Amino acid sequence: MIFQTGDHSQEWRDYDSQKSTSTYLVVPIYRNSEKWGEIEFKFVPISGESLSDFLEHPSFKIAIFFLVVGFFIYLAFMLRTLKMLDPSAVIPDRVNAAFDTLAEGVIIIDERQQIVLANRSLLQKIGSPIGALLGKNASKLNWKSADETDSEVYLPWQTVLKSGKSSKGAHLMLVNPSGESFKFAINASPIWGGNDTAQGVLITLDDITELEERNSRLQTMVNRLEESQAQVQQQNKELHFLATRDSLTGCLNRRAFFELFDKAFNEALQNDLELSCVMVDIDHFKAVNDNYGHATGDVVIKLLAEVLTTNTRKVDLVGRYGGEEFCLVLPGLSVQEAVTVAERIRLRIKAESAARFENGPWVTASLGVAGIVDKPADPAELNKFADEALYVAKESGRNRVVRWQLKNQFSENAKPETPLPESQPATGNDTALTSGTVSELQSRVDELELIASQISSELDYSKHYDQLTGLPNQVLFYDRVRQVIERGQRYSHLAAIFVVDIGMFGMINASLGNVAGDHILQEVANRLNSTFRKSDDISRLTLSRIGGDVFAVLIPELPNKEVITWMVERLMAALATAIEVDQTSIYLTSHVGISVYPADASTVDSLINNAIVAKTFCKKTTSETGFQFFDNHMQDLSIRHLRLDKEIRNAIQNQEWELFYQPKMDIANKTIVGVEALIRWRHPSRGLLAPFEFIDFAEQRGLIVAIGEWVIRAACEKLKYWSELGYSDLCIAVNLSPVQLKQDDFVDRVFAIIAEYQISPRQLELEVTETTLMSNFQAALTSLKRLSSRGIAISIDDFGTGYSSLSYLKNLPVDNLKIDRSFIKDLCHDENDQKIVKMLINIAHSMSMIVIAEGVETQGQFDILADYGCDEIQGYLLSQPVPAGEVIHMLAKGRPN
């Protein structure tokens, strides 16, 4: 230590390093390049040397400032980059909201097939969240071919991206993560960029899963129907067989045999062909039944039938003539050939009998043969010839074949095997006499059989049908009711019974006589028959006379209870017309009681009795309708319907209608541009009636056609008048009914009315609802295109409340789209309504349509619609519907009050 100042050891005791610091400084001293010594300095510690002082240092603050600013700049850059990479940011929210209201599924992909939009309809169908689809390659979804084969799946958007051409109607199946399968009909259209290249694809997916399932069920039903048809055909064959065959032997029965015999006989005559007839009878068959029993007799008959069928051809006719007698018809065989066949049959019967019955009976048969060469007049005479020959065979010893000849020739060719006793010589005359007598007896037997059959038919008819009117009687009517109830229980069908009582019939009989009374009953039966039978829907009904002046009508398989009223109305109208009796006009009064199955009763007696009770009640009261339902509610409803129907018809005839007009205002110019015509009924007693009280009923009854034509005519007349006042740019909108569009001449009538009043077609606007369009889309499309081609504006009314689909909007010639008031009502505070309305406006504008908002009632609604770009408004904010005179006042002022 050479020199020090202060206490060196005390100041340097905490220093244990050879290096300098901010407080301790060590300076080496060298001499001749060798370290000679050190100079050690200790300084007072610098202010801010602590951590807190360091943080307060200005340099540190500047560094922190630049670090924070840089971080936020980097964060903003990264967020912008991520947003650009986020596919959902490509599509604006309003477009997303618009697509979410569509019934079809929608996907938008970019040029790399990445999904940038998927609407709510698709997400709900496949059960996937939006996050699971956005940014995903559309081709990587679990697509399968619609026919569920393992073939390569065709993805139409890939072709669209390559070719730039749209693809329509491709069918694909999509399997969602839960394993459910959906079939879609896919349309794909390119989205063009600025350089005329496809930068993406708009894909619509119509869910046809339910349609495919329905088609599958229909195909199953068709297959079942075809099976049922085959079964029915088989059953028809079986029924035809049963109807034409003898139940014991399977041979043709007598009726079927003679039908075919007649046909074969006529063909032989026309073509000059041979034809023979053979009659066959079992010998001593009564003895077989008496000695061996009827069961054995049946076996013998079946044996003969078997021999006959196995010894004849397929073209030959084998019929059981009656009892043990059979008849054969042999087309194309001469008499001699027929005799040979008959002899073969005779021998075969004898041999089969001996082989099958060891202990008897031993059966033989006699046969008679005749041919067309014997010149019979008809099949019956040819059969008669063969029968005469058979009789001779049986009389001349049996077990033989005899060919028919003239009576005087039988004695020479049909001699008995055993000579007759001398006391009874068999002369030719005796034989001829015997043959003639037998023939006469056989003819008499046939005549008696025919008479007996006719008497049996007449007895059966009289048992079930009324002799005077020819209608089913009470016995048959009760049986028909029982059948209808059984069928109704099986298939849940409705049915109704009308019991009709002819008033004052006793007085008519007493004053005009029974003949006049019978004539009236016959005329009533004819009117009932013609009234109900002319309707295809009730062609299976039963009309009956169940008492002296009481008729009944059974109507099965009704579609609904309401149609009963119109059937009663037709019945009452039919009976209201006068009946002419001996140049006297008789006006009948009638009372009808009605009961309905199963509402009123489920048994035959109860159902008929309830109708009779209702009829009796109607007869005792002074009901002006002349009929009474067993159910009081339906009675009241029917009376109201009948009264309303009559009043509407009177209103059409008297033109009790009046048009009110509700203005439509252009939002931008705040001027009235048109009005909607709204019909009112100036009822004679009830005052002014709104449309909801009569329009639906008029549509159901078909009266809307006349009402609708009056509205169009009145609107055109008013347009002509307003045009003469200088308001030629004003248009009137008229609502159309689905019934009007179904009329074949509707469009021509509209054109004729426009021509009659000489107005411009553009002044007339026709409004149709979505329901109207979808009830018969193709017919509506054709009519609307014709109307639009003349310049008539077409508007879709109440849009959004029906089947809102772009698929029909793009095909229809629609000029205006009216947003339903249900979306406007809560527009000021319902965000969903706001999104829907905004979307509808955007869609309509993209399709060059004018948007009209209905039901605007507040300034707030008006302001929102104006902000959304809506074109026109209509509602109580402007004006309620007013008469035509007030419209002129509004037009003069420029806008409504």
Side-chain angles (χ1 to χ4, degrees), residues 76-95:
F77 172 76
M78 290 302 296
L79 289 176
R80 182 179 180 185
T81 302
L82 290 174
K83 185 175 182 181
M84 293 179 65
L85 293 176
D86 181 10
S88 63
V90 178
I91 307 299
D93 290 341
R94 59 188 178 87
V95 178

Short mmCIF file of all heavy atoms in Angstrom, two decimals, residues 76-95:
data_model
loop_
_atom_site.label_atom_id
_atom_site.label_comp_id
_atom_site.label_asym_id
_atom_site.label_seq_id
_atom_site.Cartn_x
_atom_site.Cartn_y
_atom_site.Cartn_z
N ALA A 76 -53.09 -5.75 -34.85
CA ALA A 76 -54.06 -5.32 -35.87
C ALA A 76 -53.76 -6.00 -37.20
O ALA A 76 -54.67 -6.42 -37.92
CB ALA A 76 -54.01 -3.79 -36.00
N PHE A 77 -52.50 -6.11 -37.53
CA PHE A 77 -52.12 -6.77 -38.79
C PHE A 77 -52.55 -8.24 -38.79
O PHE A 77 -53.10 -8.76 -39.77
CB PHE A 77 -50.60 -6.64 -38.98
CG PHE A 77 -50.10 -7.45 -40.15
CD1 PHE A 77 -50.28 -7.01 -41.45
CD2 PHE A 77 -49.45 -8.67 -39.93
CE1 PHE A 77 -49.82 -7.76 -42.51
CE2 PHE A 77 -48.99 -9.41 -40.99
CZ PHE A 77 -49.17 -8.96 -42.30
N MET A 78 -52.35 -8.90 -37.66
CA MET A 78 -52.69 -10.32 -37.57
C MET A 78 -54.22 -10.51 -37.63
O MET A 78 -54.72 -11.45 -38.27
CB MET A 78 -52.15 -10.92 -36.27
CG MET A 78 -50.63 -11.06 -36.24
SD MET A 78 -50.00 -12.08 -37.61
CE MET A 78 -50.75 -13.65 -37.20
N LEU A 79 -54.96 -9.64 -36.94
CA LEU A 79 -56.43 -9.76 -36.98
C LEU A 79 -56.96 -9.55 -38.39
O LEU A 79 -57.88 -10.25 -38.84
CB LEU A 79 -57.07 -8.74 -36.03
CG LEU A 79 -56.89 -9.02 -34.54
CD1 LEU A 79 -57.48 -7.88 -33.70
CD2 LEU A 79 -57.56 -10.34 -34.15
N ARG A 80 -56.40 -8.60 -39.08
CA ARG A 80 -56.84 -8.35 -40.47
C ARG A 80 -56.51 -9.55 -41.35
O ARG A 80 -57.30 -9.97 -42.20
CB ARG A 80 -56.16 -7.10 -41.00
CG ARG A 80 -56.59 -6.75 -42.42
CD ARG A 80 -55.93 -5.49 -42.92
NE ARG A 80 -56.36 -5.20 -44.27
CZ ARG A 80 -55.87 -4.20 -45.02
NH1 ARG A 80 -54.94 -3.40 -44.48
NH2 ARG A 80 -56.31 -4.02 -46.23
N THR A 81 -55.34 -10.12 -41.10
CA THR A 81 -54.94 -11.30 -41.88
C THR A 81 -55.87 -12.47 -41.60
O THR A 81 -56.32 -13.18 -42.51
CB THR A 81 -53.49 -11.69 -41.54
OG1 THR A 81 -52.64 -10.56 -41.81
CG2 THR A 81 -53.05 -12.88 -42.38
N LEU A 82 -56.16 -12.70 -40.30
CA LEU A 82 -57.06 -13.80 -39.94
C LEU A 82 -58.46 -13.58 -40.51
O LEU A 82 -59.13 -14.53 -40.92
CB LEU A 82 -57.13 -13.94 -38.41
CG LEU A 82 -55.85 -14.45 -37.74
CD1 LEU A 82 -56.01 -14.39 -36.23
CD2 LEU A 82 -55.55 -15.89 -38.18
N LYS A 83 -58.90 -12.32 -40.50
CA LYS A 83 -60.22 -12.03 -41.05
C LYS A 83 -60.27 -12.33 -42.54
O LYS A 83 -61.25 -12.85 -43.06
CB LYS A 83 -60.59 -10.58 -40.79
CG LYS A 83 -62.01 -10.23 -41.22
CD LYS A 83 -62.37 -8.82 -40.83
CE LYS A 83 -63.82 -8.52 -41.22
NZ LYS A 83 -64.20 -7.14 -40.87
N MET A 84 -59.19 -12.00 -43.23
CA MET A 84 -59.14 -12.28 -44.66
C MET A 84 -59.11 -13.79 -44.91
O MET A 84 -59.65 -14.29 -45.90
CB MET A 84 -57.92 -11.62 -45.29
CG MET A 84 -57.98 -10.10 -45.28
SD MET A 84 -56.53 -9.35 -46.02
CE MET A 84 -56.70 -9.91 -47.70
N LEU A 85 -58.51 -14.52 -43.97
CA LEU A 85 -58.47 -15.97 -44.12
C LEU A 85 -59.76 -16.63 -43.68
O LEU A 85 -60.00 -17.79 -43.99
CB LEU A 85 -57.30 -16.54 -43.30
CG LEU A 85 -55.90 -16.16 -43.80
CD1 LEU A 85 -54.85 -16.70 -42.86
CD2 LEU A 85 -55.66 -16.66 -45.22
N ASP A 86 -60.65 -15.94 -42.92
CA ASP A 86 -61.90 -16.51 -42.41
C ASP A 86 -62.93 -16.54 -43.54
O ASP A 86 -63.33 -15.48 -44.04
CB ASP A 86 -62.43 -15.65 -41.26
CG ASP A 86 -63.71 -16.23 -40.69
OD1 ASP A 86 -64.07 -17.37 -41.06
OD2 ASP A 86 -64.36 -15.53 -39.89
N PRO A 87 -63.38 -17.69 -43.96
CA PRO A 87 -64.32 -17.76 -45.08
C PRO A 87 -65.63 -17.06 -44.78
O PRO A 87 -66.27 -16.54 -45.69
CB PRO A 87 -64.53 -19.27 -45.27
CG PRO A 87 -63.37 -19.93 -44.62
CD PRO A 87 -62.98 -19.04 -43.51
N SER A 88 -66.08 -17.05 -43.53
CA SER A 88 -67.37 -16.46 -43.22
C SER A 88 -67.38 -14.96 -43.43
O SER A 88 -68.43 -14.35 -43.58
CB SER A 88 -67.76 -16.79 -41.78
OG SER A 88 -66.82 -16.21 -40.89
N ALA A 89 -66.22 -14.33 -43.43
CA ALA A 89 -66.16 -12.88 -43.59
C ALA A 89 -66.35 -12.47 -45.04
O ALA A 89 -66.55 -11.31 -45.33
CB ALA A 89 -64.81 -12.35 -43.08
N VAL A 90 -66.31 -13.41 -45.96
CA VAL A 90 -66.46 -13.09 -47.37
C VAL A 90 -67.89 -12.67 -47.68
O VAL A 90 -68.15 -11.85 -48.55
CB VAL A 90 -66.05 -14.31 -48.24
CG1 VAL A 90 -66.26 -14.01 -49.72
CG2 VAL A 90 -64.62 -14.67 -47.95
N ILE A 91 -68.86 -13.26 -46.96
CA ILE A 91 -70.27 -13.01 -47.24
C ILE A 91 -70.82 -12.03 -46.22
O ILE A 91 -70.73 -12.28 -45.01
CB ILE A 91 -71.08 -14.33 -47.18
CG1 ILE A 91 -70.44 -15.39 -48.08
CG2 ILE A 91 -72.52 -14.09 -47.57
CD1 ILE A 91 -70.40 -14.99 -49.54
N PRO A 92 -71.46 -10.94 -46.65
CA PRO A 92 -72.03 -9.97 -45.68
C PRO A 92 -73.14 -10.62 -44.87
O PRO A 92 -73.80 -11.56 -45.30
CB PRO A 92 -72.58 -8.86 -46.60
CG PRO A 92 -71.88 -9.03 -47.91
CD PRO A 92 -71.57 -10.48 -48.04
N ASP A 93 -73.39 -10.05 -43.69
CA ASP A 93 -74.41 -10.59 -42.79
C ASP A 93 -75.80 -10.53 -43.42
O ASP A 93 -76.61 -11.43 -43.24
CB ASP A 93 -74.41 -9.81 -41.47
CG ASP A 93 -73.16 -10.11 -40.65
OD1 ASP A 93 -72.52 -11.14 -40.93
OD2 ASP A 93 -72.86 -9.31 -39.75
N ARG A 94 -76.11 -9.46 -44.15
CA ARG A 94 -77.45 -9.36 -44.73
C ARG A 94 -77.69 -10.43 -45.78
O ARG A 94 -78.82 -10.92 -45.94
CB ARG A 94 -77.65 -7.97 -45.34
CG ARG A 94 -76.66 -7.60 -46.43
CD ARG A 94 -76.81 -6.13 -46.85
NE ARG A 94 -75.84 -5.75 -47.86
CZ ARG A 94 -76.02 -5.90 -49.15
NH1 ARG A 94 -77.16 -6.43 -49.58
NH2 ARG A 94 -75.11 -5.54 -50.01
N VAL A 95 -76.63 -10.81 -46.49
CA VAL A 95 -76.79 -11.89 -47.47
C VAL A 95 -76.99 -13.21 -46.75
O VAL A 95 -77.79 -14.06 -47.15
CB VAL A 95 -75.58 -11.94 -48.42
CG1 VAL A 95 -75.72 -13.10 -49.40
CG2 VAL A 95 -75.44 -10.63 -49.16
#
